Amino acid sequence: MWCLPLGVKAAEHLSDHEVFCRQEPATACLDLIQQGLAQAEPFSVRWYQLKSVQLDFFFDKHLYEALAQQTSQLLQLEDVPAIFRTQLYFYQAKILHGKGQRIQALHYADLAANDLEQQFQSFADPLRLLELANLHSVMGEQAQAWKLLMLADSRYGKSKDPIFAFELHTNKALVQQANGRLADAAYSRKLALDAIQPTGEAGKITVAYGNLGRTYQLLGQYGLALQYYQQSLRLMQPGADDVRRQMHLLRAVQLNCQLQQYVQARQLLAQMDASLLEVNYRDDFSLLQQQLGSDSPLCAAD
């Protein structure tokens, strides 16, 4: 078992499943994607478009095992569209990094970075620049990531595109948090939330709430952090965001415990399904079970 590291989910990539699935909101998103794939001619332009949307869905919903399986298989294909190939490199780099295979991850990161640089030079698409910055940040190259983010901000910072603003500020926060600048990261995460909230895109809004809540938790502002997690949980639909919901429930349990609200903490803990938790959160879950099972709970600062 393995997991992608904290902060990997920062950039929407070459296809956005939320945009695709909005056309038929009554149909479950993955079902809609699968239906489209079944109807498309294999390896046609439409098929690759739908595969790209499917990969974005797996990544966004933290279904990393399915993402890894699909990416490994698709990398065996020859003559795939250039943008689709870049997406495969991007995900493979993050998958391998999550498994701790840094040398192999850097190989695919370099391939993705080269493609993204060429695409940005050819099409001047600011989202490609943000994806490149995100890749550098995930690989621990924070100075290079920040340089690219500043370039994106100076060139496109006045853009009215809420997705661009959301991604820009989210990625700024990743670098700031990696460098220990938590107050700056909280400010950037609030800007990201403010940018995406008017769109009504629940998936991105819950990500923004959770990001901001986590940063405030690390700052020791537990009450404020809990408010953001509560708002995130209210937006989530059962069956649509199960993995992320467990992560946010875990943080809400921690925060209630840190606030010495033990009744609320135990109630939320009872709602959790540990089998849906990503591996790197399971030790935290076990610790909370022990702490809240005690007659005198003690939840230390994170």
Side-chain angles (χ1 to χ4, degrees):
M1 296 294 289
W2 55 276
C3 56
L4 291 178
L6 180 67
V8 164
K9 178 64 182 92
E12 290 294 341
H13 309 298
L14 305 156
S15 292
D16 189 337
H17 75 274
E18 288 184 320
V19 173
F20 173 80
C21 292
R22 197 182 300 141
Q23 59 187 312
E24 292 188 34
T27 304
C29 189
L30 186 56
D31 290 343
L32 189 62
I33 297 168
Q34 301 285 31
Q35 290 169 16
L37 283 168
Q39 295 166 5
E41 180 183 349
F43 312 115
S44 63
V45 171
R46 180 60 174 168
W47 186 87
Y48 278 115
Q49 290 172 338
L50 289 164
K51 269 293 175 184
S52 183
V53 172
Q54 183 188 53
L55 295 177
D56 180 70
F57 179 89
F58 289 150
F59 187 75
D60 183 73
K61 300 301 183 183
H62 300 259
L63 301 174
Y64 298 135
E65 295 290 349
L67 178 68
Q69 182 181 34
Q70 286 285 316
T71 301
S72 296
Q73 292 174 356
L74 292 164
L75 280 168
Q76 305 305 312
L77 299 177
E78 297 181 0
D79 299 323
V80 302
I83 291 180
F84 186 75
R85 178 192 64 199
T86 305
Q87 184 180 25
L88 295 179
Y89 290 158
F90 195 102
Y91 288 138
Q92 187 72 349
K94 292 192 171 188
I95 288 164
L96 291 168
H97 188 269
K99 291 181 176 180
Q101 299 176 19
R102 180 167 174 77
I103 294 175
Q104 298 94 319
L106 285 171
H107 168 70
Y108 285 101
D110 286 343
L111 292 173
N114 182 63
D115 280 359
L116 287 168
E117 286 174 355
Q118 291 184 19
Q119 290 167 22
F120 174 71
Q121 293 300 328
S122 299
F123 305 109
D125 183 347
L127 287 177
R128 301 293 82 84
L129 200 57
L130 298 184
E131 288 167 358
L132 183 57
N134 177 258
L135 195 59
H136 281 295
S137 181
V138 169
M139 295 301 156
E141 300 164 348
Q142 306 303 338
Q144 182 64 13
W146 190 254
K147 179 180 177 181
L148 291 168
L149 291 170
M150 292 299 98
L151 175 61
D153 198 1
S154 65
R155 290 192 183 182
Y156 308 104
K158 294 182 180 179
S159 168
K160 297 184 183 301
D161 179 4
I163 302 299
F164 173 78
F166 168 71
E167 296 293 353
L168 174 66
H169 295 303
T170 297
N171 279 286
K172 280 185 178 181
L174 279 179
V175 176
Q176 290 163 333
Q177 193 152 317
N179 289 333
R181 295 162 52 195
L182 290 175
D184 290 338
Y187 178 70
S188 293
R189 294 201 186 285
K190 183 60 167 63
L191 291 177
L193 175 61
D194 290 344
I196 202 62
Q197 215 161 14
T199 69
E201 294 197 7
K204 293 181 180 65
I205 294 170
T206 60
V207 168
Y209 275 136
N211 285 343
L212 187 54
R214 178 59 178 157
T215 304
Y216 277 127
Q217 183 181 22
L218 293 172
L219 283 166
Q221 298 185 39
Y222 302 136
L224 187 55
L226 181 58
Q227 289 178 33
Y228 284 116
Y229 276 112
Q230 288 170 335
Q231 291 181 77
S232 172
L233 288 164
R234 280 195 288 270
L235 280 178
M236 292 184 183
Q237 297 295 321
D241 287 293
D242 288 345
V243 176
R244 186 181 298 140
R245 184 172 185 274
Q246 295 305 312
M247 294 161 53
H248 288 200
L249 277 172
L250 179 76
R251 295 302 183 201
V253 174
Q254 286 179 332
L255 287 160
N256 274 292
C257 196
Q258 288 165 329
L259 290 164
Q260 300 182 17
Q261 298 171 172
Y262 302 124
V263 173
Q264 295 93 321
R266 291 185 177 108
Q267 288 173 344
L268 288 173
L269 188 67
Q271 297 177 28
M272 293 190 62
D273 182 352
S275 68
L276 293 174
L277 270 175
E278 294 176 45
V279 177
N280 59 327
Y281 292 101
R282 291 181 184 174
D283 286 345
D284 290 335
F285 177 78
S286 296
L287 178 60
L288 283 167
Q289 283 184 311
Q290 295 173 12
Q291 291 171 332
L292 293 168
S294 168
D295 292 333
S296 301
L298 177 62
C299 297
D302 200 314

